Amino acid sequence: MFKKLFILLLEKRYNPIQPNPIQSNINSILIRPMGYAIGDAIVHTAHIKQLKLIFPKAKIGVLVEKNNPVVFKASQLVDEYIRFNILDYFKNYRKWDLLIDFENNFTTKSLFADRILMPNKIIIFNKQHKKYYNLETIKSFDYYFPIPETTPLSHYLSVALKNEIKNIPDPISILHTQHQEKNIIKMQWKTNKVHILLCPQGSKREIPP
């Protein structure tokens, strides 16, 4: 019953017939990561680098939890961090021109955040179908880009925006490490060994062979 009532409080934004161009008046972009593990953060640095090149004057913000800010800070690309709490949401009310939501399902927490943040435009990608929260019941977004199931997360923006923006730069993750950290990595990554990544996957999605 709560979720049914909550849906009634959400905005009705989506209009698939005549969407406005994404690239108009974008001076600030907020990222909601697919997940909050370190690996997710590393991949999202590639998206942020793309956005920095497409919108060079735009401020970039990221919604973070306790584990991932250190990765985003190492990218040296993020201008602002927003914690998952109601105080930060209200501080950022109507502050962002574009929210890019990479999460692969609608959650009460994220929908509630959007209702308070009230960004000017919201982009979503694939969303898992849930009983109450699905693409038939939720319309509180402006742009929906279905992504082929075999597409790596790093290429989401490249696929989604290919018709909107010309010459999208390739996604390349960016991490700046200290000299002493590089020495530790060299000790662990032994030479003359074969390293094979057998199955790239996350906690919620696996790319087929």
Side-chain angles (χ1 to χ4, degrees):
M1 179 63 70
F2 166 76
K3 290 185 176 180
K4 288 183 178 180
L5 292 174
F6 181 64
I7 290 172
L8 296 176
L9 299 176
L10 299 176
E11 289 185 285
K12 303 296 188 293
R13 289 173 172 246
Y14 187 54
N15 179 8
I17 300 175
Q18 292 180 328
N20 295 321
I22 292 174
Q23 62 267 37
S24 61
N25 300 319
I26 300 297
N27 296 307
S28 57
I29 303 171
L30 181 61
I31 303 292
R32 174 178 289 128
M34 176 175 280
Y36 299 92
I38 291 174
D40 296 310
I42 292 172
V43 176
H44 286 305
T45 65
H47 299 139
I48 297 170
K49 181 64 176 178
Q50 286 179 301
L51 293 169
K52 284 283 189 179
L53 294 172
I54 296 169
F55 305 101
K57 296 182 180 180
K59 175 178 66 175
I60 304 292
V62 180
L63 287 159
V64 295
E65 292 190 350
K66 63 179 181 179
N67 293 326
N68 55 358
V70 63
V71 177
F72 289 116
K73 289 178 181 178
S75 74
Q76 299 178 9
L77 295 170
V78 179
D79 302 301
E80 190 168 338
Y81 301 93
I82 299 175
R83 298 281 177 175
F84 271 92
N85 61 66
I86 194 168
L87 180 60
D88 269 17
Y89 296 161
F90 278 113
K91 285 181 179 178
N92 286 272
Y93 172 70
R94 293 193 182 279
K95 187 176 177 179
W96 299 92
D97 294 325
L98 178 64
L99 168 63
I100 304 180
D101 178 9
F102 286 95
E103 282 189 343
N104 58 8
N105 57 72
F106 293 115
T107 67
T108 300
K109 181 170 69 173
S110 296
L111 292 169
F112 179 69
D114 294 351
R115 196 69 179 94
I116 299 176
L117 290 167
M118 293 290 285
N120 188 34
K121 299 175 182 177
I122 299 176
I123 289 176
I124 68 167
F125 304 101
N126 298 357
K127 295 289 187 181
Q128 295 176 0
H129 186 91
K130 299 163 74 173
K131 182 177 180 180
Y132 293 107
Y133 297 158
N134 54 66
L135 290 169
E136 283 72 47
T137 60
I138 305 296
K139 301 296 180 183
S140 57
F141 54 89
D142 299 277
Y143 306 94
Y144 165 52
F145 295 106
I147 304 294
E149 191 63 29
T150 56
T151 303
L153 173 58
S154 60
H155 286 69
Y156 270 33
L157 286 183
S158 299
V159 172
L161 302 182
K162 63 182 179 181
N163 295 326
E164 287 275 345
I165 299 170
K166 295 181 179 179
N167 301 321
I168 297 178
D170 293 333
I172 301 175
S173 294
I174 304 293
L175 289 177
H176 299 279
T177 56
Q178 301 296 322
H179 182 71
Q180 57 268 30
E181 293 170 340
K182 292 180 180 179
N183 289 335
I184 294 173
I185 294 170
K186 287 180 180 179
M187 292 174 61
Q188 299 296 326
W189 194 264
K190 299 183 183 299
T191 57
N192 300 320
K193 297 286 184 178
V194 176
H195 303 275
I196 302 174
L197 179 62
L198 294 176
C199 185
Q201 66 184 65
S203 59
K204 298 179 180 178
R205 192 176 74 110
E206 177 179 330
I207 299 175

